[in-house]
Amino acid sequence: MKRLPLFLIVVFSTCWAMPLIAGHHKKGTIDVDMPYVRTPVPGHSMTAAFLTVSNTGEQGCQLTGASSSYAKKIEFHTHQHVDGMMKMRPVDVVEVAGGSSVAFKPGGLHLMLFGVNHDETSSTEITFTTDKCGEIKFSAPIKSIKSQHSKAMHH
Ligand SMILES: [Cu+2]
C-alpha cells in the first residue's frame, strides 16, 4: 500500500475539523448575538432580521453582504428621517470597529430580506461576507412579532 501524499493528509484533516468550526457562531473576531428573522406578514415575501454583531478584535471589519437560503436577496437597511417621514435606505457596507458592536434592531439598522422562501418556517442559516474577517455563518430562528410582544407583557 502506497503512502498518501502529505498534502492529501492535510486536506483530509482540515475537512474533518470544518463541521466543528462551522457549528460555532464565532469566526475570527466577529460574534453574532440574538439573531432572529421576523415571520413575514401573510401574503408578503419581504421581511427583516435583527441581531447584534460584536467585534472582539482590535482591527475593524466591514460587513459587505449577507445571504441565506431563506431569501433571494438580503440588503443592509437603515431608517432615516426624510422630509418628516421615516424611510428605509440601503447601506452598502456596515463598519464594525474593533472592540465595538453594531445592533440591527427594529426602527434602526436591519437586514432586509426579499423573496422569502416560505418552505423554511422555524429557522434559517444566514451568512455574512466581510472584508477582513472571513465569512460569518449563524443560525437565526424565524419568529413572529406577536409572540415577542406577549412575552414582553409578562415582565
Ligand atoms: Cu428595510
PDB file of all heavy atoms in Angstrom, residues 124-154:
ATOM      1  N   THR A 124     -33.364  29.516   9.989  1.00  0.00           N
ATOM      2  CA  THR A 124     -32.599  29.509   8.755  1.00  0.00           C
ATOM      3  C   THR A 124     -31.161  29.894   9.058  1.00  0.00           C
ATOM      4  O   THR A 124     -30.867  30.406  10.143  1.00  0.00           O
ATOM      5  CB  THR A 124     -33.209  30.458   7.706  1.00  0.00           C
ATOM      6  OG1 THR A 124     -32.540  30.239   6.453  1.00  0.00           O
ATOM      7  CG2 THR A 124     -33.030  31.918   8.110  1.00  0.00           C
ATOM      8  N   GLU A 125     -30.281  29.616   8.106  1.00  0.00           N
ATOM      9  CA  GLU A 125     -28.878  29.999   8.284  1.00  0.00           C
ATOM     10  C   GLU A 125     -28.600  31.241   7.443  1.00  0.00           C
ATOM     11  O   GLU A 125     -29.032  31.326   6.292  1.00  0.00           O
ATOM     12  CB  GLU A 125     -27.956  28.860   7.865  1.00  0.00           C
ATOM     13  CG  GLU A 125     -26.523  29.092   8.281  1.00  0.00           C
ATOM     14  CD  GLU A 125     -25.641  27.863   8.095  1.00  0.00           C
ATOM     15  OE1 GLU A 125     -25.187  27.646   6.964  1.00  0.00           O
ATOM     16  OE2 GLU A 125     -25.420  27.134   9.081  1.00  0.00           O
ATOM     17  N   ILE A 126     -27.898  32.188   8.023  1.00  0.00           N
ATOM     18  CA  ILE A 126     -27.529  33.422   7.323  1.00  0.00           C
ATOM     19  C   ILE A 126     -26.001  33.500   7.296  1.00  0.00           C
ATOM     20  O   ILE A 126     -25.335  33.088   8.251  1.00  0.00           O
ATOM     21  CB  ILE A 126     -28.135  34.656   8.032  1.00  0.00           C
ATOM     22  CG1 ILE A 126     -29.673  34.570   8.023  1.00  0.00           C
ATOM     23  CG2 ILE A 126     -27.666  35.962   7.364  1.00  0.00           C
ATOM     24  CD1 ILE A 126     -30.371  35.675   8.789  1.00  0.00           C
ATOM     25  N   THR A 127     -25.457  33.991   6.196  1.00  0.00           N
ATOM     26  CA  THR A 127     -24.004  34.148   6.064  1.00  0.00           C
ATOM     27  C   THR A 127     -23.678  35.604   5.776  1.00  0.00           C
ATOM     28  O   THR A 127     -24.239  36.210   4.870  1.00  0.00           O
ATOM     29  CB  THR A 127     -23.463  33.275   4.914  1.00  0.00           C
ATOM     30  OG1 THR A 127     -23.829  31.923   5.143  1.00  0.00           O
ATOM     31  CG2 THR A 127     -21.936  33.373   4.823  1.00  0.00           C
ATOM     32  N   PHE A 128     -22.761  36.166   6.559  1.00  0.00           N
ATOM     33  CA  PHE A 128     -22.216  37.491   6.275  1.00  0.00           C
ATOM     34  C   PHE A 128     -20.897  37.327   5.531  1.00  0.00           C
ATOM     35  O   PHE A 128     -20.090  36.481   5.898  1.00  0.00           O
ATOM     36  CB  PHE A 128     -21.899  38.252   7.574  1.00  0.00           C
ATOM     37  CG  PHE A 128     -23.074  38.898   8.243  1.00  0.00           C
ATOM     38  CD1 PHE A 128     -23.201  38.863   9.624  1.00  0.00           C
ATOM     39  CD2 PHE A 128     -24.030  39.573   7.505  1.00  0.00           C
ATOM     40  CE1 PHE A 128     -24.272  39.478  10.260  1.00  0.00           C
ATOM     41  CE2 PHE A 128     -25.106  40.192   8.126  1.00  0.00           C
ATOM     42  CZ  PHE A 128     -25.225  40.134   9.506  1.00  0.00           C
ATOM     43  N   THR A 129     -20.667  38.165   4.535  1.00  0.00           N
ATOM     44  CA  THR A 129     -19.330  38.263   3.974  1.00  0.00           C
ATOM     45  C   THR A 129     -18.704  39.554   4.528  1.00  0.00           C
ATOM     46  O   THR A 129     -19.402  40.536   4.761  1.00  0.00           O
ATOM     47  CB  THR A 129     -19.369  38.316   2.433  1.00  0.00           C
ATOM     48  OG1 THR A 129     -20.314  39.305   2.018  1.00  0.00           O
ATOM     49  CG2 THR A 129     -19.767  36.970   1.859  1.00  0.00           C
ATOM     50  N   THR A 130     -17.402  39.512   4.754  1.00  0.00           N
ATOM     51  CA  THR A 130     -16.709  40.682   5.313  1.00  0.00           C
ATOM     52  C   THR A 130     -15.458  40.971   4.502  1.00  0.00           C
ATOM     53  O   THR A 130     -15.047  40.155   3.681  1.00  0.00           O
ATOM     54  CB  THR A 130     -16.288  40.429   6.778  1.00  0.00           C
ATOM     55  OG1 THR A 130     -15.228  39.466   6.792  1.00  0.00           O
ATOM     56  CG2 THR A 130     -17.435  39.919   7.628  1.00  0.00           C
ATOM     57  N   ASP A 131     -14.881  42.132   4.741  1.00  0.00           N
ATOM     58  CA  ASP A 131     -13.645  42.465   4.021  1.00  0.00           C
ATOM     59  C   ASP A 131     -12.433  41.736   4.593  1.00  0.00           C
ATOM     60  O   ASP A 131     -11.631  41.193   3.863  1.00  0.00           O
ATOM     61  CB  ASP A 131     -13.421  43.987   3.994  1.00  0.00           C
ATOM     62  CG  ASP A 131     -13.299  44.592   5.389  1.00  0.00           C
ATOM     63  OD1 ASP A 131     -13.694  43.932   6.368  1.00  0.00           O
ATOM     64  OD2 ASP A 131     -12.825  45.735   5.487  1.00  0.00           O
ATOM     65  N   LYS A 132     -12.315  41.689   5.926  1.00  0.00           N
ATOM     66  CA  LYS A 132     -11.102  41.129   6.516  1.00  0.00           C
ATOM     67  C   LYS A 132     -11.354  40.012   7.518  1.00  0.00           C
ATOM     68  O   LYS A 132     -10.404  39.434   8.040  1.00  0.00           O
ATOM     69  CB  LYS A 132     -10.316  42.248   7.239  1.00  0.00           C
ATOM     70  CG  LYS A 132      -9.577  43.170   6.283  1.00  0.00           C
ATOM     71  CD  LYS A 132      -8.980  44.348   7.036  1.00  0.00           C
ATOM     72  CE  LYS A 132      -9.839  45.581   6.852  1.00  0.00           C
ATOM     73  NZ  LYS A 132      -9.474  46.705   7.699  1.00  0.00           N
ATOM     74  N   CYS A 133     -12.613  39.716   7.815  1.00  0.00           N
ATOM     75  CA  CYS A 133     -12.902  38.740   8.880  1.00  0.00           C
ATOM     76  C   CYS A 133     -13.524  37.453   8.341  1.00  0.00           C
ATOM     77  O   CYS A 133     -14.132  36.693   9.106  1.00  0.00           O
ATOM     78  CB  CYS A 133     -13.793  39.366   9.942  1.00  0.00           C
ATOM     79  SG  CYS A 133     -12.991  40.746  10.773  1.00  0.00           S
ATOM     80  N   GLY A 134     -13.406  37.205   7.065  1.00  0.00           N
ATOM     81  CA  GLY A 134     -13.917  35.958   6.503  1.00  0.00           C
ATOM     82  C   GLY A 134     -15.433  35.922   6.437  1.00  0.00           C
ATOM     83  O   GLY A 134     -16.093  36.963   6.506  1.00  0.00           O
ATOM     84  N   GLU A 135     -15.977  34.710   6.298  1.00  0.00           N
ATOM     85  CA  GLU A 135     -17.431  34.534   6.263  1.00  0.00           C
ATOM     86  C   GLU A 135     -17.925  34.209   7.664  1.00  0.00           C
ATOM     87  O   GLU A 135     -17.286  33.457   8.392  1.00  0.00           O
ATOM     88  CB  GLU A 135     -17.797  33.373   5.332  1.00  0.00           C
ATOM     89  CG  GLU A 135     -17.740  33.725   3.870  1.00  0.00           C
ATOM     90  CD  GLU A 135     -18.457  32.683   3.018  1.00  0.00           C
ATOM     91  OE1 GLU A 135     -18.670  31.559   3.497  1.00  0.00           O
ATOM     92  OE2 GLU A 135     -18.785  33.000   1.871  1.00  0.00           O
ATOM     93  N   ILE A 136     -19.066  34.782   8.021  1.00  0.00           N
ATOM     94  CA  ILE A 136     -19.647  34.518   9.335  1.00  0.00           C
ATOM     95  C   ILE A 136     -21.000  33.861   9.121  1.00  0.00           C
ATOM     96  O   ILE A 136     -21.911  34.470   8.566  1.00  0.00           O
ATOM     97  CB  ILE A 136     -19.789  35.814  10.152  1.00  0.00           C
ATOM     98  CG1 ILE A 136     -18.396  36.404  10.393  1.00  0.00           C
ATOM     99  CG2 ILE A 136     -20.469  35.550  11.475  1.00  0.00           C
ATOM    100  CD1 ILE A 136     -18.299  37.856  10.132  1.00  0.00           C
ATOM    101  N   LYS A 137     -21.117  32.603   9.529  1.00  0.00           N
ATOM    102  CA  LYS A 137     -22.368  31.848   9.372  1.00  0.00           C
ATOM    103  C   LYS A 137     -23.044  31.731  10.730  1.00  0.00           C
ATOM    104  O   LYS A 137     -22.382  31.484  11.728  1.00  0.00           O
ATOM    105  CB  LYS A 137     -22.071  30.437   8.866  1.00  0.00           C
ATOM    106  CG  LYS A 137     -21.869  30.325   7.377  1.00  0.00           C
ATOM    107  CD  LYS A 137     -21.765  28.844   7.019  1.00  0.00           C
ATOM    108  CE  LYS A 137     -21.044  28.645   5.710  1.00  0.00           C
ATOM    109  NZ  LYS A 137     -21.837  29.055   4.548  1.00  0.00           N
ATOM    110  N   PHE A 138     -24.353  31.915  10.755  1.00  0.00           N
ATOM    111  CA  PHE A 138     -25.076  31.722  12.006  1.00  0.00           C
ATOM    112  C   PHE A 138     -26.502  31.292  11.711  1.00  0.00           C
ATOM    113  O   PHE A 138     -27.016  31.510  10.618  1.00  0.00           O
ATOM    114  CB  PHE A 138     -25.063  33.007  12.853  1.00  0.00           C
ATOM    115  CG  PHE A 138     -25.590  34.214  12.119  1.00  0.00           C
ATOM    116  CD1 PHE A 138     -26.922  34.591  12.241  1.00  0.00           C
ATOM    117  CD2 PHE A 138     -24.761  34.959  11.304  1.00  0.00           C
ATOM    118  CE1 PHE A 138     -27.415  35.695  11.565  1.00  0.00           C
ATOM    119  CE2 PHE A 138     -25.251  36.070  10.612  1.00  0.00           C
ATOM    120  CZ  PHE A 138     -26.574  36.427  10.749  1.00  0.00           C
ATOM    121  N   SER A 139     -27.118  30.664  12.695  1.00  0.00           N
ATOM    122  CA  SER A 139     -28.488  30.195  12.549  1.00  0.00           C
ATOM    123  C   SER A 139     -29.417  31.181  13.245  1.00  0.00           C
ATOM    124  O   SER A 139     -29.124  31.647  14.342  1.00  0.00           O
ATOM    125  CB  SER A 139     -28.606  28.803  13.174  1.00  0.00           C
ATOM    126  OG  SER A 139     -29.941  28.400  13.184  1.00  0.00           O
ATOM    127  N   ALA A 140     -30.519  31.534  12.584  1.00  0.00           N
ATOM    128  CA  ALA A 140     -31.448  32.513  13.149  1.00  0.00           C
ATOM    129  C   ALA A 140     -32.852  31.909  13.197  1.00  0.00           C
ATOM    130  O   ALA A 140     -33.344  31.416  12.185  1.00  0.00           O
ATOM    131  CB  ALA A 140     -31.458  33.785  12.305  1.00  0.00           C
ATOM    132  N   PRO A 141     -33.514  31.946  14.358  1.00  0.00           N
ATOM    133  CA  PRO A 141     -34.899  31.483  14.417  1.00  0.00           C
ATOM    134  C   PRO A 141     -35.818  32.442  13.665  1.00  0.00           C
ATOM    135  O   PRO A 141     -35.532  33.641  13.584  1.00  0.00           O
ATOM    136  CB  PRO A 141     -35.217  31.467  15.911  1.00  0.00           C
ATOM    137  CG  PRO A 141     -34.262  32.426  16.526  1.00  0.00           C
ATOM    138  CD  PRO A 141     -33.029  32.438  15.658  1.00  0.00           C
ATOM    139  N   ILE A 142     -36.888  31.915  13.105  1.00  0.00           N
ATOM    140  CA  ILE A 142     -37.889  32.747  12.423  1.00  0.00           C
ATOM    141  C   ILE A 142     -39.056  32.889  13.396  1.00  0.00           C
ATOM    142  O   ILE A 142     -39.689  31.904  13.766  1.00  0.00           O
ATOM    143  CB  ILE A 142     -38.321  32.087  11.096  1.00  0.00           C
ATOM    144  CG1 ILE A 142     -37.099  31.908  10.183  1.00  0.00           C
ATOM    145  CG2 ILE A 142     -39.396  32.926  10.404  1.00  0.00           C
ATOM    146  CD1 ILE A 142     -37.324  30.944   9.024  1.00  0.00           C
ATOM    147  N   LYS A 143     -39.278  34.126  13.862  1.00  0.00           N
ATOM    148  CA  LYS A 143     -40.259  34.342  14.929  1.00  0.00           C
ATOM    149  C   LYS A 143     -41.266  35.425  14.548  1.00  0.00           C
ATOM    150  O   LYS A 143     -40.909  36.393  13.889  1.00  0.00           O
ATOM    151  CB  LYS A 143     -39.558  34.826  16.206  1.00  0.00           C
ATOM    152  CG  LYS A 143     -38.491  33.895  16.730  1.00  0.00           C
ATOM    153  CD  LYS A 143     -38.108  34.231  18.150  1.00  0.00           C
ATOM    154  CE  LYS A 143     -37.372  35.551  18.292  1.00  0.00           C
ATOM    155  NZ  LYS A 143     -36.755  35.686  19.641  1.00  0.00           N
ATOM    156  N   SER A 144     -42.496  35.243  15.036  1.00  0.00           N
ATOM    157  CA  SER A 144     -43.483  36.294  14.792  1.00  0.00           C
ATOM    158  C   SER A 144     -43.336  37.380  15.850  1.00  0.00           C
ATOM    159  O   SER A 144     -42.862  37.126  16.959  1.00  0.00           O
ATOM    160  CB  SER A 144     -44.892  35.716  14.820  1.00  0.00           C
ATOM    161  OG  SER A 144     -45.266  35.439  16.139  1.00  0.00           O
ATOM    162  N   ILE A 145     -43.729  38.610  15.516  1.00  0.00           N
ATOM    163  CA  ILE A 145     -43.596  39.710  16.481  1.00  0.00           C
ATOM    164  C   ILE A 145     -44.613  39.527  17.590  1.00  0.00           C
ATOM    165  O   ILE A 145     -44.381  39.918  18.709  1.00  0.00           O
ATOM    166  CB  ILE A 145     -43.832  41.093  15.828  1.00  0.00           C
ATOM    167  CG1 ILE A 145     -43.482  41.044  14.348  1.00  0.00           C
ATOM    168  CG2 ILE A 145     -43.015  42.166  16.516  1.00  0.00           C
ATOM    169  CD1 ILE A 145     -43.917  42.303  13.622  1.00  0.00           C
ATOM    170  N   LYS A 146     -45.776  38.935  17.257  1.00  0.00           N
ATOM    171  CA  LYS A 146     -46.848  38.758  18.240  1.00  0.00           C
ATOM    172  C   LYS A 146     -46.339  38.005  19.465  1.00  0.00           C
ATOM    173  O   LYS A 146     -46.558  38.422  20.586  1.00  0.00           O
ATOM    174  CB  LYS A 146     -48.015  37.982  17.620  1.00  0.00           C
ATOM    175  CG  LYS A 146     -49.033  38.876  16.958  1.00  0.00           C
ATOM    176  CD  LYS A 146     -50.196  38.030  16.457  1.00  0.00           C
ATOM    177  CE  LYS A 146     -51.052  38.813  15.489  1.00  0.00           C
ATOM    178  NZ  LYS A 146     -51.905  37.913  14.703  1.00  0.00           N
ATOM    179  N   SER A 147     -45.637  36.877  19.226  1.00  0.00           N
ATOM    180  CA  SER A 147     -45.187  36.058  20.352  1.00  0.00           C
ATOM    181  C   SER A 147     -44.188  36.839  21.201  1.00  0.00           C
ATOM    182  O   SER A 147     -44.114  36.664  22.400  1.00  0.00           O
ATOM    183  CB  SER A 147     -44.575  34.752  19.862  1.00  0.00           C
ATOM    184  OG  SER A 147     -43.389  35.002  19.150  1.00  0.00           O
ATOM    185  N   GLN A 148     -43.422  37.742  20.557  1.00  0.00           N
ATOM    186  CA  GLN A 148     -42.469  38.548  21.305  1.00  0.00           C
ATOM    187  C   GLN A 148     -43.188  39.532  22.205  1.00  0.00           C
ATOM    188  O   GLN A 148     -42.804  39.730  23.337  1.00  0.00           O
ATOM    189  CB  GLN A 148     -41.615  39.347  20.337  1.00  0.00           C
ATOM    190  CG  GLN A 148     -40.464  38.548  19.803  1.00  0.00           C
ATOM    191  CD  GLN A 148     -39.350  39.476  19.441  1.00  0.00           C
ATOM    192  OE1 GLN A 148     -39.615  40.518  18.850  1.00  0.00           O
ATOM    193  NE2 GLN A 148     -38.153  39.144  19.801  1.00  0.00           N
ATOM    194  N   HIS A 149     -44.259  40.138  21.676  1.00  0.00           N
ATOM    195  CA  HIS A 149     -44.998  41.115  22.445  1.00  0.00           C
ATOM    196  C   HIS A 149     -45.618  40.471  23.678  1.00  0.00           C
ATOM    197  O   HIS A 149     -45.562  41.011  24.762  1.00  0.00           O
ATOM    198  CB  HIS A 149     -46.110  41.750  21.593  1.00  0.00           C
ATOM    199  CG  HIS A 149     -45.607  42.870  20.762  1.00  0.00           C
ATOM    200  ND1 HIS A 149     -46.132  44.130  20.792  1.00  0.00           N
ATOM    201  CD2 HIS A 149     -44.602  42.926  19.875  1.00  0.00           C
ATOM    202  CE1 HIS A 149     -45.454  44.916  19.960  1.00  0.00           C
ATOM    203  NE2 HIS A 149     -44.531  44.192  19.381  1.00  0.00           N
ATOM    204  N   SER A 150     -46.210  39.268  23.491  1.00  0.00           N
ATOM    205  CA  SER A 150     -46.866  38.635  24.629  1.00  0.00           C
ATOM    206  C   SER A 150     -45.826  38.256  25.689  1.00  0.00           C
ATOM    207  O   SER A 150     -46.091  38.313  26.865  1.00  0.00           O
ATOM    208  CB  SER A 150     -47.673  37.411  24.188  1.00  0.00           C
ATOM    209  OG  SER A 150     -46.849  36.512  23.490  1.00  0.00           O
ATOM    210  N   LYS A 151     -44.613  37.890  25.233  1.00  0.00           N
ATOM    211  CA  LYS A 151     -43.547  37.576  26.185  1.00  0.00           C
ATOM    212  C   LYS A 151     -43.192  38.831  26.980  1.00  0.00           C
ATOM    213  O   LYS A 151     -43.060  38.789  28.191  1.00  0.00           O
ATOM    214  CB  LYS A 151     -42.298  37.111  25.416  1.00  0.00           C
ATOM    215  CG  LYS A 151     -41.990  35.656  25.609  1.00  0.00           C
ATOM    216  CD  LYS A 151     -40.676  35.311  24.913  1.00  0.00           C
ATOM    217  CE  LYS A 151     -40.690  33.889  24.424  1.00  0.00           C
ATOM    218  NZ  LYS A 151     -39.608  33.615  23.483  1.00  0.00           N
ATOM    219  N   ALA A 152     -43.061  39.966  26.266  1.00  0.00           N
ATOM    220  CA  ALA A 152     -42.647  41.200  26.920  1.00  0.00           C
ATOM    221  C   ALA A 152     -43.672  41.643  27.962  1.00  0.00           C
ATOM    222  O   ALA A 152     -43.326  42.242  28.960  1.00  0.00           O
ATOM    223  CB  ALA A 152     -42.441  42.298  25.879  1.00  0.00           C
ATOM    224  N   MET A 153     -44.955  41.331  27.704  1.00  0.00           N
ATOM    225  CA  MET A 153     -46.016  41.789  28.603  1.00  0.00           C
ATOM    226  C   MET A 153     -46.013  41.027  29.929  1.00  0.00           C
ATOM    227  O   MET A 153     -46.639  41.452  30.893  1.00  0.00           O
ATOM    228  CB  MET A 153     -47.377  41.668  27.911  1.00  0.00           C
ATOM    229  CG  MET A 153     -47.630  42.815  26.950  1.00  0.00           C
ATOM    230  SD  MET A 153     -48.941  42.485  25.783  1.00  0.00           S
ATOM    231  CE  MET A 153     -50.371  42.626  26.834  1.00  0.00           C
ATOM    232  N   HIS A 154     -45.350  39.886  29.974  1.00  0.00           N
ATOM    233  CA  HIS A 154     -45.279  39.147  31.242  1.00  0.00           C
ATOM    234  C   HIS A 154     -44.353  39.823  32.233  1.00  0.00           C
ATOM    235  O   HIS A 154     -44.425  39.563  33.416  1.00  0.00           O
ATOM    236  CB  HIS A 154     -44.818  37.700  31.004  1.00  0.00           C
ATOM    237  CG  HIS A 154     -45.859  36.852  30.353  1.00  0.00           C
ATOM    238  ND1 HIS A 154     -47.011  36.508  31.008  1.00  0.00           N
ATOM    239  CD2 HIS A 154     -45.923  36.308  29.116  1.00  0.00           C
ATOM    240  CE1 HIS A 154     -47.751  35.773  30.190  1.00  0.00           C
ATOM    241  NE2 HIS A 154     -47.115  35.637  29.040  1.00  0.00           N
TER     242      HIS A 154
END
